[in-house]
Amino acid sequence: MLIRIDLQSDVPLYLQLRNELVLAIAAGQLLPGQKLPSVRQLAGQLGVNAMTVQKSYNLLKAQGFVVTDRKRGTVVSSTPPSGQACCAQLQDDLALLAAQAGIGGLSQREFLQLCAQCYRSITQKPAGEGGDTPCSS
Amino acid sequence: MLIRIDLQSDVPLYLQLRNELVLAIAAGQLLPGQKLPSVRQLAGQLGVNAMTVQKSYNLLKAQGFVVTDRKRGTVVSSTPPSGQACCAQLQDDLALLAAQAGIGGLSQREFLQLCAQCYRSITQKPAGEGGDTPCSS
Amino acid sequence: MLIRIDLQSDVPLYLQLRNELVLAIAAGQLLPGQKLPSVRQLAGQLGVNAMTVQKSYNLLKAQGFVVTDRKRGTVVSSTPPSGQACCAQLQDDLALLAAQAGIGGLSQREFLQLCAQCYRSITQKPAGEGGDTPCSS
Amino acid sequence: MLIRIDLQSDVPLYLQLRNELVLAIAAGQLLPGQKLPSVRQLAGQLGVNAMTVQKSYNLLKAQGFVVTDRKRGTVVSSTPPSGQACCAQLQDDLALLAAQAGIGGLSQREFLQLCAQCYRSITQKPAGEGGDTPCSS
DNA sequence: GTGGTCTAGACCACG
DNA sequence: GTGGTCTAGACCACA
């Protein structure tokens, strides 16, 4: 599992890490029930502080993406947060992106193509990067 | 123009304001060339610090949504940032949302329905809220 | 005797086990003088480490709920810790729960109903779960 | 507002602090909408690390007892977590206490007296400690 | 001045 | 070896 974080980004490290892990779960690189790397292990691998990684794990736990099993450590939840439940939040975020796309001149059709492409690229990315040519509208 | 900010949100006020303004522009409530309220006026109306509003305006300017006209103050840009240009950022954000939707059990079809709904609700929201029943998959 | 532990709880396993055993004693499922299962047996049955069970037994012994009999192993104490003695601790714990109930809008009457219900459900639970409808205030 | 923490206790500092604050809210020493001391201020006053205090605040926030207002800092929530909602958890905790009381020889009547006393002492403690003689059954 | 983030290192509880 | 707790001190974002 390859995780990249950008020390220069204005997005907090723990959030970057959280996002990367969400992507990994969605991509099937981390299957339900599968164990995540230990806090220390991942911290060492990424060169960040253990507490930063722990904060990411805590956030993922609070959001229902992972659970901490007392015997096995942190594992991917088998009962992920329902998309229906998060719908309101999802909609607000999507609305903002749609607005920016609309201002940028993207028609609804183009925007939906982009959305479809993103959905596909997420759920079907086993490992390798690249391949698709985004924004080839 | 109705702008709502939530003092208890985890999103910074200046970002909330920036987002609301982007939505207003996309909705056509603020047309290209149209003048935004003055910093002080908006600050007073919203009950926030003028520096906060200023920061939002600066961000919008840096992102190309508005321009500063010597005579008229801050006006909506007539040459908005191209959706193509922002594509990379847009894609990353969309990917994360798509991932969460996927984990939440939403199929691509359901996700796209949600996206379409958001796009429509943005560009066709002149004023009134409500009407649609989101997440009625 | 049915003991359930939750590997995903934030309560340590040994404490969960201790609590379950206390409940079993209160319910009369384990009578004074009666022998508890051996550490290894219970560990095997629950699928936890023997040291974890041992820790629970040690805790129960330290708290006076059980005693170690040279011949028979661990047995339920015939001289249980007096409610009077534990009163201070009991009160502190109750106070915290009462506080949360009060903040949550429960009147004293409702809170006492809940307490009564809990007391009854404990001492009268021979085996089967369910039946009562809690919080039907 | 007087807050005492015990460095020798096996209860984590952040939890002790959280509990003390819950008691203070229930006692009306902290009214809805009222501002809590700043993280640094309280940390300095208690002689603990700021992150420890912050952890308490975050926990209280996650549990709905307080909210962080972007203009005013951390304030007591005006929409506290419903006692009904937390009922299941409350019941489990109460059941364990009831069990210990039962084992200790307290009758239901005595237990309820204790509960009533705790409820009263919480909601009616303006400042001074002492006065009641607990366990005077 | 507020809370939020991050670090480096330590100790402990748990299993 | 795991996650959880705590510290002392630093820097930044926010208002």
Side-chain angles (χ1 to χ4, degrees), chain A residues 18-19 22-23 25-26 65 80-84 87 90-91 93-104 106-108 111-112 114-120 122 134-135 137, chain B residues 18-19 22-23 25-26 65 80-84 87 90-91 93-104 106-108 111-112 114-120 122 134-135 137:
Chain A
R18 176 265 183 196
N19 290 342
V22 167
L23 288 175
I25 293 173
F65 291 107
S82 154
Q84 308 291 338
C87 194
L90 205 56
Q91 264 193 326
D93 293 346
L94 269 176
L96 189 59
L97 295 184
Q100 294 179 199
I103 296 175
L106 266 60
S107 69
Q108 175 169 338
F111 177 64
L112 288 182
L114 195 60
C115 292
Q117 184 182 308
C118 285
Y119 189 96
R120 262 183 275 113
I122 286 302
C135 273
S137 67
Chain B
R18 175 264 181 197
N19 291 342
V22 167
L23 288 174
I25 294 173
F65 291 105
S82 151
Q84 310 292 338
C87 194
L90 204 57
Q91 263 195 329
D93 292 348
L94 267 177
L96 191 57
L97 295 185
Q100 293 179 196
I103 295 175
L106 265 62
S107 68
Q108 175 169 339
F111 178 64
L112 289 182
L114 196 60
C115 292
Q117 183 182 305
C118 286
Y119 190 95
R120 262 182 276 117
I122 287 302
C135 270
S137 70

Side-chain angles (χ1 to χ4, degrees), chain B:
Chain B
M1 181 180 51
L2 186 61
I3 290 182
R4 291 207 169 280
I5 57 176
D6 176 9
L7 289 180
Q8 303 185 358
S9 164
D10 56 341
V11 181
L13 294 183
Y14 83 97
L15 247 188
Q16 290 184 48
L17 183 49
R18 175 264 181 197
N19 291 342
E20 289 292 315
L21 289 171
V22 167
L23 288 174
I25 294 173
Q29 291 166 16
L30 288 172
L31 297 172
Q34 188 174 344
K35 188 180 170 306
L36 271 65
S38 82
V39 169
R40 291 187 179 181
Q41 182 184 340
L42 191 49
Q45 176 187 328
L46 296 176
V48 302
N49 193 302
M51 281 178 49
T52 304
V53 178
Q54 185 64 60
K55 197 163 183 173
S56 302
Y57 281 20
N58 286 341
L59 183 55
L60 287 167
K61 185 161 54 173
Q63 294 175 333
F65 291 105
V66 304
V67 294
T68 306
D69 185 298
R70 279 229 167 270
K71 293 182 181 173
R72 305 172 55 219
T74 305
V75 301
V76 178
S77 170
S78 314
T79 57
S82 151
Q84 310 292 338
C86 308
C87 194
Q89 176 61 38
L90 204 57
Q91 263 195 329
D92 281 355
D93 292 348
L94 267 177
L96 191 57
L97 295 185
Q100 293 179 196
I103 295 175
L106 265 62
S107 68
Q108 175 169 339
R109 190 167 155 279
E110 290 169 323
F111 178 64
L112 289 182
Q113 279 182 349
L114 196 60
C115 292
Q117 183 182 305
C118 286
Y119 190 95
R120 262 182 276 117
S121 73
I122 287 302
T123 54
Q124 298 174 355
K125 178 172 41 175
E129 200 73 24
D132 291 25
T133 324
C135 270
S136 59
S137 70

Side-chain angles (χ1 to χ4, degrees), chain A residues 15-34:
Chain A
L15 248 189
Q16 290 185 46
L17 183 48
R18 176 265 183 196
N19 290 342
E20 288 292 315
L21 288 170
V22 167
L23 288 175
I25 293 173
Q29 291 166 17
L30 287 172
L31 298 172
Q34 190 174 343

Side-chain angles (χ1 to χ4, degrees), chain D residues 45-76:
Chain D
Q45 177 186 326
L46 296 175
V48 301
N49 188 282
M51 280 194 63
T52 303
V53 178
Q54 197 179 27
K55 196 164 183 174
S56 301
Y57 279 21
N58 281 338
L59 184 55
L60 287 168
K61 184 161 48 170
Q63 295 177 335
F65 291 106
V66 306
V67 295
T68 50
D69 183 300
R70 286 202 164 265
K71 289 173 76 177
R72 305 173 52 215
T74 304
V75 301
V76 178

Side-chain angles (χ1 to χ4, degrees), chain A residues 25 36 57-58 60-68 74-77:
Chain A
I25 293 173
L36 271 66
Y57 280 21
N58 281 339
L60 288 167
K61 184 161 48 169
Q63 295 177 334
F65 291 107
V66 305
V67 294
T68 49
T74 305
V75 301
V76 178
S77 171

